[in-house]
């Protein structure tokens, strides 16, 4: 079924054809399109105190009890079980595996010598992936910068981290870029500045009253912008280094990752429509505008004023164009309501500067995300129209379920089926999407939920001393699709009723 919908973009009103493809196979995608799944270092590796690894800010955060008392000390223990996990990836049929490197495992002090044991682990993992034809897609920092740098100078709140991150990136490129062709500098910096430096629900818990939650240091009015600025400088510095020293010989690609939502006006009022535009400018444009044009959006400069750092001419030139692709993490829509008439000019943080309120829907009993696959098309269309249709990898997409749902994750099957179909429609409509990764390959330590919730294709039995893995229905569905099977909503229903589909005739 096809409908004509109107999406409001910064450039004006654009007519977008929105499809609803139900039956498809991977052969319907371009031949080079990549399908994979992902995890991140702190969430999956475990071995937190082994072989020279030192704490990251996430170790400190969880050991202070901020995630239900859970920690990533063991997580899914991929550090010791990576061979078994790669075998599961092969059985599943993955083209690629997205993972991150633990900065404090590779360089324990944040700067200085490389840890041989950490180097050996990542070399072993990368080599094993490649030997089985699985592309490594590597993120340099997935929220978890070393606690040593946080203690020394405040981590991302200090410009000193630009040099240290660049040196760390150089160590990774030097060690692995002869085999790794896809590099992401940072994961979700737009979420990090909010959670870590405004409201204080993420490490390093820097915030200030009345915006943050029981932080002991920080400034919610200034640090979100300061950290965003340092991240852009660090990212572009690492990209510049990669392009100068490695890319010409190894022909790899480097980008950055953002968490995106489909922002929908809560009502049809002009105020709410404009508020949804502001949400995009602050949440997406704060990073994408500098990457595309070399400067911040006008509305952010207006609302933040002198609290927003300015780029020098050199910095603007370095930041502009400093990406080969954009990684997108997408899960759900957000409804946006205007909140511009209740603000006090003397009390502002990043959220107040947006002048909005956000509302999202979820299943009250399970907290599962509503399945609205067309929203992904709107997000990709927005990136196409506003930012020149950059190459995009969907780095994360998946359904949250209670761990108690165990192997019968029918809602996850429905979710992934719907969103891959939506992605196919976006590609047919001209989106420059190049790949899709489910979140997550295994049940991991979830950054906000610990072990209460799960996103994995494979269940990890935390009550088993060996942390045994079991395929969920979604793993069987994804494997069937990856091996060439035709999938549809009816096939999802049948898989929920009958025995798993393990292969394609």
């Amino acid at each position: 079924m096809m409908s004509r919908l109107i999406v409001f973009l910064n450039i004006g009103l654009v007519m977008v054809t929105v499809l609803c493809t139900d039956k498809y196979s991977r052969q319907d995608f371009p031949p080079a399109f990549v399908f994979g799944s992902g995890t991140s270092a702190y969430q999956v590796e475990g071995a937190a105190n082994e072989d020279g690894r030192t704490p990251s800010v996430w170790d400190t955060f969880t050991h202070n009890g901020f995630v239900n008392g859970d920690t990533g000390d063991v997580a899914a223990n991929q550090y010791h079980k990576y061979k078994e996990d790669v075998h599961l990836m092969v059985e599943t049929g993955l083209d690629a595996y997205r993972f991150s490197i633990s900065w404090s495992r590779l360089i324990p002090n944040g700067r200085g010598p490389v840890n041989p044991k950490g180097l050996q682990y990542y070399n072993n993992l990368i080599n094993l992936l490649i030997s089985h034809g699985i592309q490594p897609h590597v993120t340099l920092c997935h929220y978890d910068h070393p606690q040593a740098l946080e203690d020394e100078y405040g981590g991302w709140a200090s410009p000193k981290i630009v040099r240290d991150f660049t040196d760390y990136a150089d160590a990774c490129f030097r060690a692995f870029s002869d085999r790794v062709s896809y590099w992401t500098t940072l994961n979700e910096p737009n979420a990090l500045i909010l959670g870590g430096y405004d409201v204080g629900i993420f490490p390093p818990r820097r915030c200030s009253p009345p915006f943050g939650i029981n932080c002991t240091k920080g400034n919610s009015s200034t640090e979100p912008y300061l950290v965003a600025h340092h991240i852009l400088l660090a990212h572009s510095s690492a990209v510049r280094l990669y392009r100068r020293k490695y890319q010409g010989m190894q022909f790899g690609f480097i980008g950055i990752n953002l968490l995106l939502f489909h922002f929908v006006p809560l009502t049809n009022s002009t105020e709410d429509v404009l508020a949804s535009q502001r949400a995009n400018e602050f949440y997406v444009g704060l990073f994408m505008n500098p990457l595309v044009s070399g400067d911040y959006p006008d509305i952010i400069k207006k609302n933040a004023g002198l609290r927003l750092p300015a780029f020098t001419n050199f910095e603007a030139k370095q930041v502009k164009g400093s990406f080969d692709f954009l990684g997108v993490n997408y899960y759900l829509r957000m409804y946006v309501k205007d909140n511009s008439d209740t603000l006090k000019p003397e009390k502002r943080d990043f959220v107040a500067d947006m002048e909005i309120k956000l509302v999202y829907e979820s299943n009250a009993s399970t907290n599962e995300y509503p399945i609205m696959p067309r929203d992904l098309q709107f997000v990709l269309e927005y990136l196409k129209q506003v930012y020149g249709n950059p190459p995009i990898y969907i780095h994360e997409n998946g359904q949250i379920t209670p761990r108690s749902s165990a192997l019968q994750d029918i809602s996850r099957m429905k979710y992934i089926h719907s969103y891959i179909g939506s992605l196919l429609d976006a590609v047919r409509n001209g989106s420059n999407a190049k790949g899709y990764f489910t979140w997550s390959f295994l049940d991991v330590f979830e950054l906000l939920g610990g072990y209460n919730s799960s996103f994995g294709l494979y269940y990890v039995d935390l009550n088993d001393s060996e942390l045994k893995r079991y395929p969920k229905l979604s793993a069987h569905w994804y494997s069937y699709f990856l091996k060439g099977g035709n999938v549809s909503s009816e096939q999802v229903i049948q898989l929920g009723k009958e025995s798993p589909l393990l292969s394609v005739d």
Side-chain angles (χ1 to χ4, degrees):
M1 178 180 180
M2 182 172 67
S3 62
R4 302 289 289 179
L5 299 177
I6 297 177
V7 59
F8 193 91
L9 302 175
N10 286 9
I11 59 172
L13 289 171
V14 178
M15 295 298 292
V16 181
T17 302
V18 180
L19 306 175
C20 189
T21 295
D22 180 72
K23 187 173 184 179
Y24 57 85
S25 74
R26 71 170 302 167
Q27 281 70 39
D28 292 315
F29 286 84
F33 200 92
V34 172
F35 286 97
S37 191
T39 62
S40 83
Y42 183 73
Q43 296 178 264
V44 76
E45 285 180 2
N49 303 306
E50 296 183 36
D51 292 342
R53 183 187 181 276
T54 61
S56 73
V57 291
W58 266 97
D59 293 89
T60 303
F61 184 71
T62 59
H63 278 266
N64 282 318
F66 291 117
V67 189
N68 308 321
D70 295 334
T71 75
D73 287 1
V74 177
N77 197 23
Q78 190 167 88
Y79 186 77
H80 295 292
K81 295 175 71 70
Y82 72 92
K83 293 179 182 178
E84 176 184 338
D85 290 341
V86 172
H87 177 71
L88 291 178
M89 294 173 205
V90 174
E91 284 192 339
T92 307
L94 298 189
D95 299 328
Y97 178 50
R98 177 184 178 241
F99 64 96
S100 70
I101 292 173
S102 168
W103 187 343
S104 60
R105 190 183 297 283
L106 192 69
I107 304 179
N109 294 321
R111 70 165 73 87
V114 169
N115 173 21
K117 291 288 189 179
L119 181 66
Q120 180 182 23
Y121 169 70
Y122 292 112
N123 269 324
N124 289 344
L125 174 60
I126 290 166
N127 289 341
L128 190 60
L129 289 168
I130 290 174
S131 71
H132 289 287
I134 298 174
Q135 294 177 3
H137 286 238
V138 177
T139 300
L140 294 174
C141 189
H142 195 112
Y143 285 122
D144 55 343
H145 66 275
Q147 184 65 42
L149 300 185
E150 187 65 28
D151 292 340
E152 181 182 343
Y153 54 67
W156 289 109
S158 168
K160 293 180 180 179
I161 202 166
V162 176
R163 169 61 69 86
D164 286 340
F165 180 78
T166 305
D167 290 344
Y168 161 61
D170 194 18
C172 292
F173 299 150
R174 185 169 59 250
F176 312 123
S177 67
D178 59 328
R179 288 152 292 151
V180 174
S181 297
Y182 298 91
W183 293 97
T184 304
T185 53
L186 293 107
N187 181 78
E188 298 182 351
N190 55 339
L192 173 63
I193 64 170
L194 278 170
Y197 298 87
D198 191 345
V199 297
I201 61 171
F202 278 3
R205 295 193 68 243
R206 296 180 69 97
C207 61
S208 59
F211 312 105
I213 303 173
N214 298 323
C215 295
T216 59
K217 57 187 174 182
N219 186 323
S220 297
S221 294
T222 60
E223 285 192 357
Y225 296 111
L226 195 63
V227 169
H229 196 71
H230 295 157
I231 284 174
L232 283 164
L233 295 179
H235 158 79
S236 60
S237 176
V239 171
R240 185 168 178 263
L241 171 78
Y242 180 73
R243 288 174 171 172
R244 187 178 74 248
K245 290 181 63 175
Y246 302 97
Q247 193 173 44
M249 295 181 293
Q250 293 157 357
F251 307 105
F253 306 90
I254 189 166
I256 194 169
N257 169 288
L258 297 176
L259 175 65
L260 268 60
F261 301 98
H262 180 210
F263 290 114
V264 180
L266 187 63
T267 72
N268 290 327
S269 69
T270 301
E271 290 80 9
D272 285 357
V273 171
L274 293 174
S276 67
Q277 286 184 277
R278 286 198 303 277
N280 272 318
E281 292 282 20
F282 274 80
Y283 210 64
V284 184
L286 179 66
F287 290 91
M288 284 303 296
N289 274 50
L291 292 171
V292 171
S293 66
D295 199 6
Y296 294 113
D298 289 340
I299 187 63
I300 301 182
K301 290 193 285 187
K302 175 185 174 184
N303 287 12
L306 295 177
R307 290 177 289 123
L308 179 70
F311 293 111
T312 66
N313 288 337
F314 172 80
E315 291 169 345
K317 290 179 181 178
Q318 180 172 283
V319 171
K320 182 179 179 180
S322 62
F323 70 107
D324 300 322
F325 65 85
L326 174 66
V328 169
N329 295 352
Y330 183 83
Y331 293 95
L332 73 164
R333 73 165 53 175
M334 287 282 187
Y335 294 96
V336 184
K337 179 175 175 55
D338 177 68
N339 193 35
S340 60
D341 59 350
T342 60
L343 298 176
K344 296 180 179 179
E346 70 276 11
K347 288 189 175 183
R348 285 184 176 269
D349 66 339
F350 183 80
V351 176
D353 287 338
M354 284 193 280
E355 304 177 346
I356 64 171
K357 288 183 178 180
L358 294 177
V359 180
Y360 80 94
E361 295 178 323
S362 65
N363 184 307
S365 61
T366 64
N367 205 35
E368 292 177 1
Y369 301 142
I371 298 175
M372 298 179 175
R374 291 183 179 91
D375 289 0
L376 179 58
Q377 292 178 64
F378 282 118
V379 166
L380 293 175
E381 185 68 21
Y382 182 86
L383 295 171
K384 183 174 77 172
Q385 297 287 347
V386 177
Y387 297 111
N389 203 18
I392 289 171
Y393 289 87
I394 305 298
H395 273 164
E396 293 183 19
N397 180 245
Q399 176 67 282
I400 184 173
T401 59
R403 280 190 58 87
S404 58
S405 64
L407 308 182
Q408 303 298 315
D409 61 340
I410 296 173
S411 64
R412 181 169 290 111
M413 280 196 299
K414 291 179 179 177
Y415 184 101
I416 296 173
H417 167 260
S418 298
Y419 281 86
I420 292 179
S422 178
L423 177 60
L424 175 59
D425 294 331
V427 170
R428 287 170 168 169
N429 200 42
S431 170
N432 199 13
K434 302 289 188 181
Y436 173 90
F437 294 75
T438 68
W439 182 267
S440 51
F441 184 65
L442 304 171
D443 284 346
V444 298
F445 170 85
E446 286 299 332
L447 297 183
L448 289 178
Y451 300 107
N452 288 343
S453 58
S454 74
F455 286 83
L457 299 173
Y458 285 82
Y459 175 79
V460 177
D461 187 354
L462 299 178
N463 295 317
D464 180 88
S465 61
E466 297 299 316
L467 296 175
K468 188 170 176 59
R469 282 83 156 115
Y470 297 91
K472 302 179 186 179
L473 288 178
S474 58
H476 293 298
W477 181 92
Y478 198 41
S479 180
Y480 181 77
F481 164 72
L482 292 176
K483 293 172 183 176
N486 287 300
V487 295
S488 66
S489 56
E490 174 142 351
Q491 187 257 1
V492 169
I493 294 170
Q494 284 301 115
L495 186 54
K497 290 180 178 179
E498 300 176 357
S499 59
L501 297 165
L502 295 173
S503 62
V504 176
D505 294 331

